[in-house]
Amino acid sequence: MIPIERYYAASDKVFSAFQESFEKGDLDGAYVFGKRFARFSTECLPTHDSYKSSDAYFKRLRRKNVDDVRAVLDGLEYITSLMDMEEMGKSSAGSTNAESRECS
């Protein structure tokens, strides 16, 4: 079995990619990385034999990951609201252009 530390290391890399994309304003990239991180952390990590270990080291890794999941889920909510506003802006701009062509 693959050591759980490798799972956490992989999740940390995806979490960092999420943060970097978000900070750069790359909403699409942040969304993709955030979804990947959240899914891996909530569906794959808990299936590992060491996930529920009572060892203090593993508990620390798990707690950090859970905190990161919360941050990502909050970030994804914010990102989707920004993407929705962006789409509404595009559709209203498109309808404004169509309306101005009709009036000409």
Side-chain angles (χ1 to χ4, degrees):
M1 173 162 275
I2 298 171
I4 196 165
E5 294 93 339
R6 290 186 60 192
Y7 281 55
Y8 282 119
S11 71
D12 286 344
K13 286 180 183 178
V14 178
F15 179 67
S16 292
F18 165 78
Q19 288 180 308
E20 284 179 33
S21 295
F22 184 77
E23 289 168 5
K24 289 179 186 175
D26 176 10
L27 298 181
D28 292 333
Y31 182 82
V32 169
F33 286 122
K35 291 288 281 186
R36 284 183 184 167
F37 173 82
R39 184 168 186 212
F40 180 77
S41 295
T42 59
E43 295 178 15
C44 297
L45 267 172
T47 65
H48 194 283
D49 290 344
S50 300
Y51 184 76
K52 294 197 181 222
S53 171
S54 59
D55 181 270
Y57 174 68
F58 293 130
K59 280 183 171 180
R60 217 172 324 114
L61 290 174
R62 186 171 60 243
R63 171 60 30 213
K64 180 196 177 300
N65 182 260
V66 167
D67 291 344
D68 290 347
V69 167
R70 286 188 183 120
V72 165
L73 292 177
D74 289 344
L76 285 172
E77 277 189 45
Y78 181 68
I79 288 167
T80 54
S81 67
L82 290 176
M83 291 172 127
D84 288 346
M85 287 190 293
E86 202 174 82
E87 284 301 312
M88 284 191 283
K90 287 179 184 176
S91 65
S92 67
S95 65
T96 303
N97 288 340
E99 290 169 6
S100 65
R101 283 192 298 261
E102 290 174 4
C103 295
S104 302

